[in-house]
Amino acid sequence: MVFFIYRSVYEGPSGKLVRHFPDATVLDWFRRVWDEAGSGDAYEWITRELGASVYGLSTIFETGLPAPRSTAELHRLLEEHLDVEQELRVDEHSVRVLTDDDEVMLAYFFVEDALVAAEPERWAYLLHDGWKLPDVPPGFSDDRSFTSPVTTWTATPAPPGGEGATYAVVLTFYSTFDSMGWNMPACFPGTRLPRLAATLRETDAPIDEWSGELAVLRALVAPGEDEIGPALERCNRWPDFEQDISETYGAHQQAHEIGLRLLQGFAPARGRDPHRTIIRQSEHVAQMAIHIDDYFGYRQWFVFDDVWAAAHPDLAASLLHCGSHWDPRCHRDHGIGECTPPGRQYRPASLPGAGA
């Protein structure tokens, strides 16, 4: 079986589209569709076949050349004729592409089921059905451990006597060049999700070094709240995550009061619809697909602790990797300068190179 995965902000709350095809190999898929896709309007044919308008993909079928007979020949044809704005990576079992439409980065993958089975920690989230993540199964023992497979930035020091860890993956962006693979996950060591709200209130960490979304989340946790869900609800009504929020960096009580005042001025604009945002929370995982506008759709926020990650290790590892890199097959561990900025001030000079 061959899987097609499209990471795109245009694909609804999950930000991705997945299709399954019966072909034995990626080469077989290209060979099967080559002549039919190229016999008419290749763009319309590919859109029907894959269920999405995949930027640039139709160009490979418009060459009039014979179908490739080997993976090496497919690689050569893709290198020479596929419209790719950023990177193309091909191996015996996958084709991985990073491109952009001058607005946002987009990535798509053709991958064989054998490779997915060999690397579930890289593909599990990308192939997960829908937006909602599973809960911890009833009776799951929380004595299993989980360690992030990618670099994280530490938001707060571990509190005395704390246990476990909580991770935050916020898939957001503010320009084309940082719109995919530049979201290094945050880690709250010594804090599990039921304790996260209290940790956000009590921390004396330098908030001005945090990402804007987590700084807002911290400010919108109300005094005495035990769960993070209500703060996510308030984040859904935050006026603009691109605005300077340095005034909310102070002590929590002050930051919360300022945050509430800013919420009072919230008026949806540019197609943003808070009613279309999806928020859910269980004991060890919380999610928000926040609706930004009609054109760019949603941004995904995931907050989960090591208990949830230990119950779903492949899903957790894959999700953490999705934040920090566009290519699920990249096996380098990226530092701050190589991949993802932890704070709002850092902006990369260029995209990760082909050797990533």
Side-chain angles (χ1 to χ4, degrees):
M1 179 181 293
V2 170
F3 299 103
F4 170 76
I5 305 164
Y6 191 27
R7 284 188 67 179
S8 166
V9 297
Y10 308 119
E11 294 302 320
S14 69
K16 56 189 174 73
L17 175 143
V18 179
R19 291 288 184 268
H20 304 171
F21 297 100
D23 308 275
T25 68
V26 171
L27 176 63
D28 287 343
W29 183 87
F30 276 93
R31 286 179 55 80
R32 176 174 62 83
V33 307
W34 192 273
D35 291 337
E36 187 174 357
S39 63
D41 189 323
Y43 175 82
E44 289 189 3
W45 194 97
I46 290 296
T47 299
R48 289 194 304 270
E49 173 80 356
L50 300 180
S53 172
V54 181
Y55 188 85
L57 179 57
S58 63
T59 56
I60 191 61
F61 303 104
E62 297 168 351
T63 63
L65 296 171
R69 293 165 294 182
S70 66
T71 299
E73 190 172 351
L74 172 63
H75 192 176
R76 179 182 63 78
L77 289 170
L78 292 171
E79 287 278 6
E80 294 177 357
H81 300 287
L82 183 66
D83 183 4
V84 177
E85 299 294 333
Q86 302 293 340
E87 295 188 51
L88 166 69
R89 298 178 182 180
V90 180
D91 57 41
E92 286 293 328
H93 305 289
S94 69
V95 170
R96 290 116 54 212
V97 175
L98 177 68
T99 189
D100 69 71
D101 63 356
D102 297 328
E103 299 282 355
V104 292
M105 287 182 181
L106 307 160
Y108 59 89
F109 316 103
F110 292 91
V111 57
E112 296 167 15
D113 54 358
L115 182 58
V116 169
E119 300 177 341
E121 76 283 358
R122 297 304 179 117
W123 299 96
Y125 170 68
L126 289 171
L127 289 171
H128 179 68
D129 186 18
W131 168 79
K132 182 179 178 181
L133 297 176
D135 290 330
V136 174
F140 177 78
S141 173
D142 64 1
D143 59 0
R144 304 183 198 177
S145 62
F146 176 84
T147 301
S148 174
V150 303
T151 298
T152 61
W153 62 276
T154 301
T156 59
E163 293 182 329
T166 291
Y167 301 94
V169 180
V170 181
L171 302 180
T172 191
F173 63 90
Y174 299 103
S175 61
T176 301
F177 61 74
D178 66 357
S179 57
M180 187 176 296
W182 293 89
N183 303 109
M184 181 182 286
C187 179
F188 298 85
T191 298
R192 287 183 172 140
L193 190 58
R195 175 69 184 163
L196 181 60
T199 295
L200 291 173
R201 282 194 300 270
E202 298 164 4
T203 185
D204 57 1
I207 307 301
D208 59 335
E209 297 180 3
W210 288 21
S211 66
E213 289 77 12
L214 289 184
V216 170
L217 179 65
R218 178 251 186 181
L220 295 182
V221 171
E225 280 183 346
D226 293 329
E227 297 186 344
I228 204 66
L232 291 174
E233 296 280 359
R234 297 183 190 102
C235 287
N236 185 36
R237 296 183 287 112
W238 188 255
D240 185 358
F241 288 99
E242 292 189 68
Q243 72 182 32
D244 181 9
I245 58 170
S246 57
E247 58 187 350
T248 68
Y249 292 164
H252 177 263
Q253 183 62 40
Q254 177 189 14
H256 186 64
E257 292 172 357
I258 293 172
L260 292 181
R261 287 200 297 271
L262 290 173
L263 287 184
Q264 293 175 359
F266 173 63
R270 295 179 294 183
R272 183 173 173 184
D273 186 354
H275 298 290
R276 294 171 64 179
T277 292
I278 309 170
I279 299 173
R280 67 174 293 265
Q281 178 184 350
S282 61
E283 185 177 5
H284 296 287
V285 61
Q287 299 177 243
M288 176 166 67
I290 183 170
H291 186 264
I292 297 300
D293 58 41
D294 285 333
Y295 188 69
F296 291 119
Y298 296 81
R299 305 291 180 272
Q300 296 78 32
W301 297 28
F302 302 94
V303 186
F304 57 88
D305 62 26
D306 63 315
V307 176
W308 182 87
H312 306 284
D314 292 335
L315 198 55
S318 175
L319 178 54
L320 288 161
H321 196 274
C322 275
S324 59
H325 206 295
W326 73 270
D327 182 3
R329 294 223 70 203
C330 178
H331 288 273
R332 287 177 55 199
D333 187 23
H334 290 276
I336 292 173
E338 294 176 284
C339 196
T340 310
R344 65 186 61 76
Q345 300 299 324
Y346 178 84
R347 285 293 181 266
S350 62
L351 291 169

